Amino acid sequence: MRFVLRGREPRWLAAAAAGLAVVATLALTAGPIRLAGAAPVSAFERYVVSPLSTGNGIAEVLLAATPLLFTGLAVAIAFRVGYYNIGAEGQFLVGAMATTAVALALPDLPAAAALPLGLVGGALGGVAWAFLPAFLRRRAGIDEVVTTLLLNPVAVLLLQGMLNGPWRNPDTGFPDSATFGVGYRLPELFGSRVHAGLLVGLVLVAVTAVVMSATPLGVRLRAAGQSPAAAEFSGVPVGLLQWRSALVSGGLAGLGGASQVLGVQHQLTGSLAAGYGYTGVVVATLGGLSAVGVLAVALLLGDVQVGAQGASIALQLPSQMGGVLTSVLLLTVVAALSVRHYRLVRRTPRSPRPVEG
Amino acid sequence: MDFPVVAVLAATLTIATPLVFGALGALLGERTGVLNLGIEGTLYAGAFIGFLVAARTGSLALATLAAVVAGALAGALMALLAVTLGVNQHVAGIGITLLLVAACDFTNRQLFGGGQQTVTEKFGRLFAGGGIVAQYPMTFVAFLVLAPAVWWVLRSTGAGLRLTAVGENPEAADTAGISVARTRWTALVVGGALMGLGGSFLTLSVLGTFTLDIVSGRGWICIALVIFGRWKVVPVVLGALLFGLFDALQLQLAITPAFGSIPNELLIALPYLVVIAALAVRGRGVRYPGAYLTAYRRA
């Protein structure tokens, strides 16, 4: 048996491959769930269906999806032009820290000034953290994968250092920042914990979708990612586009950090280092690096995340199973989408069989 | 102030040990053209599985073996995705890291959640009281056995030459009768086993227990060391020692009263920043293996 490249690819194949990947994901995770003492079917129902069955649950899903929208979009924009920014985690955290710096320095600003300032501060923080790897790539040709990755643990350390040092809560003595002034609260929506950060994310999704699909810039960006040599030859400044996308990517991730502290926490805590940036890689990849895809996958993963919390309470199934499910889904989907380009044929016999008679 | 030179140098060797295992494991894969970003998760899995088996059986030999097997399986998963199926290597590697970290955390929570920290047997130091050479057995293995062995295999054996040939020019290697897929599979499985072994050093030699931040980016350090060392064994090992030295220095500074006012986290971040700076200086104009990041299919 061996793989042979398909000549033509039927239209239904990609959808069938993705469906197969979902089935495979359920099959692969059923074993561990059963070992942990829960019934797989009711667990899957908890993960996917239960959160969507109440209004409050849906609000929690939207809330969980909000940061993933930003980090997913950040990763997708960079990957699209062939710049492998795997540092959204660090950029998200530094964005949140920059917002915190603004909020603690100017605590009494009214919302009309505080929110724009906080959001812009967060975006600039993300850009700042993305700057060094992008600069090293552009000026010295140094691989951005490893530098963006290395800056993630450094950002976590910076966060812990600030919380244990200058920003330690003056009232409680805990390693959390003081609560922000009232001006620094993103308005809440639908009478729930969902906040205006979601709207900012949705606007960015729409803008990205339009730029990518309906402008000359979008064409150049896609060309730069798909075949850099050909793009360069036809006059597309690939290096320049990658440099700019890298900074925009950092800005988006930083904005996600800002939205999280302004919308949910209203203070900086160590729990912010929860892997939103790494999950952004999953969101961007499963979303096919398209803005609409990012939106869909962010909602799906938000759903699973809320479901995992519910399952840990209802079924005593540790919530880390949510992370297992998403990463298995990522691997099965990329595997299935890759396999679909090939068909399996039986190995041709080495020598023709002798004709009888 | 007396500066404890011997203690710092001894700590340098200990800290560098898991990096030597991890970075040489990564180097094997990369020499065949496959970048395995699953390394962070593989170190984590090696650390956790080693701890788990030690806690359940009390046997350090079994625990070490289990960590090696876990690492080899992680390498095999990377090979299945990146070599056989031709998935994007960055995505496959990050996915494996996320999967292994989540799976270990899940199991850890399920088996050891609540209650007090489980502590296991751990390897003792050989030549205790011997200054710099008072080290865990795995440190001797890393520097005196593994590094020379990988150096010799890559330089002087048919297997080593095939590895490099596949990484530089898979078409030519294939034409010469070398199986590209088999070579890459072997390199990734053996490399994964080394990463698993390196991870188990953190639990079975150093700590005797498992913590969630036990690896904290050491995998990414290994990937950086391979580029820093330009895919050659000796400079990669020297790079690991350089990181070890800075990490040992920051640990020493942290307990030196004169430097007590510097935040601890800043000191911990120092060796990471040193690695980035080293890359910025030495990473200019490096020549990557010819088939780096590219899947191979016969035309």
Side-chain angles (χ1 to χ4, degrees):
Chain A
M1 305 282 270
R2 64 197 191 95
F3 286 119
V4 175
L5 208 57
R6 279 179 196 277
R8 279 182 66 241
E9 204 173 279
R11 275 164 176 267
W12 50 265
L13 205 59
L20 196 67
V22 172
V23 174
T25 301
L26 298 181
L28 286 169
T29 49
I33 289 176
R34 179 160 285 283
L35 275 180
V41 175
S42 66
F44 293 137
E45 195 192 337
R46 286 269 165 203
Y47 284 122
V48 185
V49 183
S50 302
L52 301 178
S53 59
T54 64
N56 187 38
I58 293 176
E60 288 298 310
V61 169
L62 292 176
L63 189 67
T66 303
L68 302 180
L69 217 49
F70 288 95
T71 55
L73 215 48
V75 174
I77 283 176
F79 277 32
R80 249 277 133 88
V81 287
Y83 180 89
Y84 282 92
N85 174 19
I86 316 183
E89 181 77 11
Q91 292 143 17
F92 179 91
L93 293 177
V94 174
M97 281 186 260
T99 302
T100 304
V102 172
L104 295 181
L106 306 165
D108 300 320
L109 285 188
L115 290 178
L117 211 57
L119 288 172
V120 169
L124 289 179
V127 171
W129 209 245
F131 177 82
L132 182 67
F135 180 78
L136 288 177
R137 163 74 187 264
R138 180 136 174 78
R139 283 299 139 120
I142 289 163
D143 186 27
E144 74 280 9
V145 172
V146 57
T147 45
T148 52
L149 275 170
L150 275 174
L151 283 175
N152 291 337
V154 175
V156 174
L157 287 166
L158 189 61
L159 173 72
Q160 290 167 351
M162 293 308 282
L163 290 178
N164 283 321
W167 287 346
R168 185 184 283 275
N169 193 314
D171 302 325
T172 61
F174 284 121
D176 301 325
S177 81
T179 305
F180 299 166
V182 284
Y184 289 92
R185 285 178 162 257
L186 281 170
E188 290 176 348
L189 310 174
F190 323 125
S192 67
R193 294 170 65 213
V194 181
H195 55 85
L198 177 66
L199 299 183
V200 178
L202 289 175
V203 168
L204 291 171
V205 166
V207 170
T208 310
V210 170
V211 169
M212 281 315 232
S213 63
T215 66
L217 174 63
V219 175
R220 281 197 287 273
L221 288 170
R222 279 181 289 152
Q226 269 165 13
S227 53
E232 192 78 59
F233 184 73
S234 44
V236 175
V238 175
L240 185 68
L241 287 181
Q242 286 180 333
W243 154 256
R244 288 183 183 161
S245 300
L247 297 184
V248 169
S249 171
L252 286 171
L255 203 53
S259 144
Q260 199 69 1
V261 287
L262 295 173
V264 183
Q265 299 194 314
H266 309 300
Q267 61 171 167
L268 189 68
T269 73
S271 67
L272 203 63
Y276 295 115
Y278 290 114
T279 311
V281 178
V282 182
V283 174
T285 306
L286 289 181
L289 306 188
S290 86
V292 178
V294 163
L295 173 61
V297 178
L299 289 170
L300 173 70
L301 297 198
D303 181 30
V304 171
Q305 224 173 67
V306 174
Q309 297 299 334
S312 79
I313 297 163
L315 305 173
Q316 272 77 53
L317 202 59
S319 63
Q320 288 85 353
M321 183 45 78
V324 176
L325 263 174
T326 27
S327 46
V328 172
L329 184 67
L330 169 72
L331 294 179
T332 53
V333 167
V334 292
L337 289 182
S338 201
V339 163
R340 82 170 199 275
H341 298 306
Y342 301 92
R343 63 202 166 87
L344 204 57
V345 296
R346 231 179 278 163
R347 202 178 280 280
T348 40
R350 289 271 157 86
S351 55
R353 215 172 290 172
V355 183
E356 293 200 29
Chain B
M1 189 187 75
D2 261 349
F3 194 77
V5 178
V6 172
V8 166
L9 291 180
T12 299
L13 287 172
T14 307
I15 293 164
T17 300
L19 300 176
V20 169
F21 281 108
L24 291 182
L27 181 143
L28 288 179
E30 290 185 39
R31 284 284 281 257
T32 69
V34 185
L35 168 70
N36 184 0
L37 292 183
I39 183 170
E40 178 84 1
T42 309
L43 289 171
Y44 198 75
F48 177 71
I49 298 290
F51 160 75
L52 172 64
V53 173
R56 287 296 144 109
T57 67
S59 160
L60 288 175
L62 271 183
T64 305
L65 183 67
V68 169
V69 171
L73 288 175
L77 180 57
M78 182 66 193
L80 174 68
L81 290 166
V83 179
T84 306
L85 300 178
V87 169
N88 175 309
Q89 293 179 10
H90 295 126
V91 171
I94 292 291
I96 288 173
T97 286
L98 291 175
L99 171 63
L100 293 176
V101 170
C104 291
D105 286 352
F106 173 79
T107 315
N108 182 42
R109 185 66 192 276
Q110 182 73 19
L111 298 180
F112 302 100
Q116 63 198 39
Q117 187 92 342
T118 308
V119 180
T120 69
E121 290 280 311
K122 67 187 197 85
F123 287 107
R125 288 179 186 265
L126 303 175
F127 311 112
I132 297 173
V133 295
Q135 297 288 346
Y136 300 106
M138 282 303 158
T139 304
F140 293 97
V141 173
F143 288 96
L144 301 181
V145 180
L146 179 69
V150 175
W151 179 81
W152 177 74
V153 166
L154 286 176
R155 186 191 143 92
S156 314
T157 69
L161 294 178
R162 283 197 292 277
L163 217 71
T164 308
V166 164
E168 287 299 335
N169 191 339
E171 288 82 7
D174 193 11
T175 311
I178 300 169
S179 165
V180 175
R182 190 174 308 151
T183 309
R184 287 182 168 171
W185 264 84
T186 310
L188 286 168
V189 169
V190 172
L194 293 178
M195 294 169 193
L197 191 56
S200 76
F201 177 81
L202 299 170
T203 44
L204 299 179
S205 293
V206 178
L207 282 184
T209 187
F210 178 76
T211 61
L212 297 182
D213 60 350
I214 195 159
V215 175
S216 59
R218 281 189 179 79
W220 312 142
I221 295 281
C222 290
I223 298 294
L225 291 177
V226 175
I227 298 175
F228 171 82
R230 304 190 179 185
W231 297 272
K232 294 201 174 67
V233 174
V234 176
V236 166
V237 172
L238 290 177
L241 287 169
L242 178 75
F243 177 90
L245 177 64
F246 274 93
D247 209 23
L249 281 174
Q250 69 86 5
L251 287 171
Q252 186 58 42
L253 287 184
I255 55 169
T256 305
F259 294 91
S261 58
I262 302 178
N264 210 5
E265 291 82 2
L266 205 66
L267 291 174
I268 301 174
L270 176 72
Y272 292 86
L273 298 173
V274 169
V275 169
I276 295 175
L279 265 186
V281 174
R282 249 187 80 94
R284 280 167 174 273
V286 290
R287 207 186 65 78
Y288 284 79
Y292 196 65
L293 298 179
T294 10
Y296 176 68
R297 295 270 175 232
R298 277 187 192 171

